[in-house]
Amino acid sequence: MNQKAFMQAFDAVAFGAFRAAGVADAAHYHDPGTTEGVPCTVLLDEGVEQFTPDDVAPIATTSVRVTLQLAEVTPRDGGVVRIDGTGRRLKLVQKIRADESTAVWEVASV
């Protein structure tokens, strides 16, 4: 098993456990301009404070982020995540970071 396969298998188990514990959400991912959603599991982080190391006088701003499993979806700028339990729709605005298994995006409510 290579590193990518290991990370995706590990994250699938972790996301499943998080979902069972109520920490992760069932959702659907929609590519820009599409109506058909792909089922996925997301981690939703609200009120994330943002600082940068270069801030002389840091003032916290907050954002909302989602973490997606790349084994489930291939997220693109402008894609929309719909949280199944609430119907909340979140547009992918900027990719924060990604590895072989997950991608973290800053989102805005649609």
Side-chain angles (χ1 to χ4, degrees):
M1 177 181 287
N2 64 25
Q3 182 178 1
K4 179 179 178 178
F6 172 80
M7 289 176 67
Q8 288 183 346
F10 177 85
D11 283 337
V13 171
F15 274 59
F18 293 152
R19 186 170 168 195
V23 178
D25 295 294
H28 280 76
Y29 171 75
H30 302 261
D31 271 329
T34 64
T35 57
E36 264 319 294
V38 177
C40 60
T41 305
V42 300
L43 298 175
L44 175 62
D45 294 315
E46 299 185 85
V48 177
E49 292 186 359
Q50 300 181 63
F51 295 97
T52 64
D54 300 328
D55 289 341
V56 176
I59 298 172
T61 59
T62 59
S63 66
V64 178
R65 296 179 181 175
V66 295
T67 304
L68 299 153
Q69 293 181 79
L70 300 180
E72 294 180 334
V73 297
T74 304
R76 295 179 21 205
D77 190 33
V80 173
V81 173
R82 182 183 49 78
I83 307 297
D84 290 352
T86 62
R88 186 173 180 190
R89 295 171 47 85
L90 303 164
K91 182 177 183 177
L92 304 183
V93 176
Q94 179 180 354
K95 183 168 39 174
I96 305 298
R97 67 180 169 277
D99 58 26
E100 296 286 331
S101 180
T102 61
V104 179
W105 284 79
E106 184 173 328
V107 297
S109 293
V110 177

